[in-house]
Every structure is written in C-alpha cells, then in structure tokens.
Amino acid sequence: MQSGSMGGAGVRRSLVVVDGPNVACRHGGVAQRRFSVKGLRIARDFFTSRGLTTKIIMPEYMTYSGKHGPRPGAPQVDDLAGLQALVREGHVALTPSQDYDDSYALSYARSKSAVIVTNDRYSDYIKTRANDTTQKQRLDWVRANCISFTFIDDDFLPNPDFKWP
C-alpha cells in the first residue's frame, strides 16, 4: 500500500484485521453499548473495495442467542442473524469465548504482517505480555500497525494520517 493511502497501486500489505467488537461498538454507539453488525460490514467493505483482504476477529460468545448469548454487560448485538451470516461467509474468525480476543487479533496480525483497525491502544498487551519482545518493541508495533478510525453516520473514516508500514 502506498504510504498514507488506503488503496491504489503499490499494495505491500494486503490483509487488514478488524477488531470486531471495537469497530461494531463504535458504529453502534459506545454509550448505548450496541454492537452494530452494519458497522462491521461498512468497515469490511471500505477495505475490500480498495483491493484488500479483511478478517474480522471477535469472541464466539457474541454469536450466541438466548441463555448462551453474550456475557452480562457485553454489548447487545443488533443483528444476530446478520452476524451469523458474516461468520458463515468466512468474514469473521471467532476466538474461544473464554479467551482474550485481542491476543488472537494481535498474534494473527503480527504473523501475517497485517494492520489492525481498532481504537484500542492495547496497553495491557504492551505491559503484561512481554515474554517474546520488549515493551518498547510492542509499543512501536502497535503504533505502526493499528489504524484508528471513526464513523460519521454510516461513513467509515480510517485515520487519514496513518502511514502504512
């Protein structure tokens, strides 16, 4: 990908990992604690329309309904059938419900030299999981490979100042 652009010729990194809960809750409204499946689709479509591959990573429990549904206090999924369709179509990778989904997203992105779409600063990852690299190396990686974003209504806006590593 060209430095500072979100598409076009010269693509170097073709995989974008989407922090599913982070993106969905930003679109759904953080204060409302609503998990917007539409927001996931909007972010995915933004990158795929630019020739990039996306993989949304999120905990499996978010796809359950009824008594096995999301954990107490978890955001409410606004379109469970739509989310389950994204899973069936292969757009979503589910992490085990008992595990920390951010660890999977970070590990996968690092192993694939990908970037992550998230507003999470991953401070817990930087500070407490430093068994294979130093905290500074992890901080540098997060700063270089995480694309912050916002939504204005249904328009997805990745950080225009992000420089592709």
Side-chain angles (χ1 to χ4, degrees), residues 1-164:
M1 178 120 323
Q2 295 178 356
S3 179
S5 71
M6 290 289 167
V11 173
R12 289 186 301 222
R13 295 189 180 206
S14 61
L15 177 63
V16 175
V17 173
V18 177
D19 180 341
N22 191 273
V23 170
C25 289
R26 181 68 176 218
H27 184 259
V30 175
Q32 294 83 8
R33 306 227 5 105
R34 189 172 65 89
F35 184 103
S36 169
V37 175
K38 182 178 182 180
L40 293 178
R41 285 193 191 102
I42 292 168
R44 178 206 59 196
D45 293 348
F46 177 89
F47 291 105
T48 58
S49 71
R50 287 158 175 79
L52 300 165
T53 301
T54 61
K55 187 58 76 170
I56 301 164
I57 297 183
M58 57 180 285
E60 185 174 23
Y61 68 81
M62 297 298 298
T63 66
Y64 300 155
S65 63
K67 69 178 184 173
H68 300 291
R71 296 176 177 162
Q76 292 297 93
V77 176
D78 65 357
D79 178 9
L80 189 58
L83 178 57
Q84 291 168 339
L86 285 172
V87 172
R88 277 192 310 277
E89 294 163 3
H91 299 292
V92 176
L94 299 173
T95 64
S97 294
Q98 72 275 11
D99 292 350
Y100 183 51
D101 60 306
D102 287 349
S103 295
Y104 287 89
L106 288 158
S107 177
Y108 185 70
R110 289 189 75 164
S111 74
K112 299 295 185 182
S113 296
V115 295
I116 302 177
V117 176
T118 187
N119 287 331
D120 193 332
R121 293 179 162 203
Y122 295 122
S123 59
D124 49 344
Y125 164 78
I126 293 163
K127 293 177 183 172
T128 63
R129 302 182 191 277
N131 59 353
D132 62 328
T133 59
T134 67
Q135 289 182 2
K136 172 132 177 42
Q137 288 170 319
R138 286 178 179 236
L139 176 63
D140 291 346
W141 189 92
V142 166
R143 285 182 176 165
N145 291 276
C146 290
I147 306 172
S148 58
F149 68 93
T150 195
F151 286 94
I152 298 177
D153 300 320
D154 287 340
D155 290 326
F156 176 78
L157 290 100
N159 182 346
D161 296 325
F162 179 77
K163 305 290 186 223
W164 289 79

